[in-house]
Amino acid sequence: MVPGKALEGVAYVPALIGAVVCVGLIRSGFPAFFFLVPLGFMAYGYNRVSTWFALAVAVMGNGIFSLGLFLFFVGYHGWDLGWDVAYFTLMAVVFTWITAPPVKGPWLLRIPGAYRFIAGSVIGAVGFMLVVYTARDTTGFHAFMRTQAEMLRSLYVASSGTDVVRRSLVEQYLTPEAVMETLSFVLLRGGGAVSCLLIFFISRQISLVLARIFRHSGPGSSLMWFHTAPLLIWVLSCSLLGVLAGGLANLVVVEIIAWNMVILCAILYLAQGGGIVMHFLNRRALPPLMRLGLNGLIIFLIFSPGINVVALGGVILLGIAENWVPFRASQSDGPSSTPGM
């Protein structure tokens, strides 16, 4: 959000266009992954009032569209209507809160950006898991999840190539039911929060790039100054012990809670590591084209299997290492961030 733009009037035409594009993207197959980008563009290119107006129009438009499908298409079930409206509304509201937080109101609504990302990811993951749990026996949603599982299975089968033995094993053991069970296992253990975080972060980066290209505006790099609480390293250590203890003692609830704590700690250290990277990149002025290229490189790394794990893991370790190595010491004259020092 650009300072000074919070109190400007509503940009009605861009807001209406953004709302229409937002609803259109959620119905477009693979591009649905980017359905939040129009709201982010409104937040970074215009102002808070316009962004929340676009959100309201998008939510109403999606509800009307879903209701129309329910009334005029035989295969569209009542639960599909509720799931469409609930999922779209939850994700859109959370992302708008992340990118265009209110300037007044309760302190919890105005927490720093990195913590809004964390809280929003948790809210999105909890909402999705509630949908999965309540819709597990519902025809429409179950068919949707099964379709996604079959798509993943077909990708793995295709990747086995001409190896007959490998293809046979994949077809035998990698059933849609097994894929769905694995997805549920991962989602419960922090995968849901990570998925929501990636959706929010990628949408935010794309929105920021578009706002800088078409509106020559955008927020400052607040992530560059982000530091986690020193005690977080102890929370991470205890959570790792909880994962180990829960697995050895077969305490599923303890293991799930511990895994989610580990993931949340990792996300915070990822933000801190990203701040360190941005600190070094901003030590010298970079041309606008190079900055856009770096944003594109970040998105490419996130989408690259294998490479993304190594890159993100390295940034997380960099964030953890700052507990002992003051990478940004020149920006702070305070005490060491090392726990207990």
Side-chain angles (χ1 to χ4, degrees), residues 67-318:
L67 182 61
L69 291 177
F70 173 69
L71 294 176
F72 296 104
F73 287 87
V74 178
Y76 198 77
H77 301 277
W79 175 255
D80 295 326
L81 169 64
W83 179 79
D84 281 347
V85 174
Y87 175 78
F88 180 91
T89 302
L90 177 67
M91 296 294 284
V93 169
V94 169
F95 183 70
T96 303
W97 169 58
I98 291 173
T99 56
V103 292
K104 297 180 180 180
W107 175 81
L108 284 176
L109 296 179
R110 297 179 286 107
I111 59 177
Y115 290 104
R116 291 200 304 275
F117 267 101
I118 302 298
S121 301
V122 173
I123 293 171
V126 170
F128 184 74
M129 291 308 299
L130 287 175
V131 171
V132 172
Y133 178 77
T134 56
R136 56 184 178 181
D137 297 324
T138 305
T139 303
F141 187 78
H142 181 77
F144 169 79
M145 292 296 292
R146 186 178 180 85
T147 300
Q148 304 303 309
E150 289 176 346
M151 181 185 68
L152 290 174
R153 178 178 181 270
S154 64
L155 290 175
Y156 275 103
V157 171
S159 66
S160 61
T162 58
D163 190 332
V164 178
V165 176
R166 183 182 176 187
R167 178 181 288 267
S168 176
L169 290 173
V170 169
E171 292 177 344
Q172 181 179 354
Y173 293 104
L174 198 65
T175 62
E177 290 75 15
V179 174
M180 291 176 66
E181 184 177 347
T182 302
L183 287 175
S184 298
F185 181 90
V186 173
L187 287 174
L188 282 171
R189 288 159 177 80
V194 172
S195 299
C196 290
L197 179 73
L198 289 177
I199 292 174
F200 293 147
F201 178 75
I202 292 172
S203 298
R204 188 256 186 195
Q205 292 303 111
I206 295 176
S207 303
L208 187 57
V209 170
L210 293 177
R212 286 176 175 169
I213 292 176
F214 296 105
R215 298 286 298 173
H216 306 289
S217 62
S221 182
S222 60
L223 182 64
M224 187 168 63
W225 318 114
F226 177 75
H227 288 79
T228 63
L231 289 177
L232 187 68
I233 190 66
W234 302 113
V235 176
L236 176 60
S237 302
C238 293
S239 300
L240 290 171
L241 290 176
V243 170
L244 182 61
L248 292 176
N250 198 26
L251 300 174
V252 178
V253 175
V254 173
E255 183 188 1
I256 289 175
I257 294 174
W259 264 118
N260 279 276
M261 291 302 298
V262 169
I263 294 299
L264 292 179
C265 292
I267 291 173
L268 287 170
Y269 279 123
L270 177 64
Q272 179 159 300
I276 296 171
V277 173
M278 296 181 69
H279 166 72
F280 285 110
L281 290 177
N282 282 275
R283 291 180 66 177
R284 59 176 63 185
L286 296 176
L289 185 61
M290 184 173 293
R291 289 188 182 277
L292 293 178
L294 287 174
N295 278 284
L297 178 61
I298 290 171
I299 295 173
F300 171 77
L301 290 175
I302 291 175
F303 275 108
S304 301
I307 299 177
N308 53 6
V309 176
V310 176
L312 294 178
V315 176
I316 291 172
L317 291 176
L318 187 64

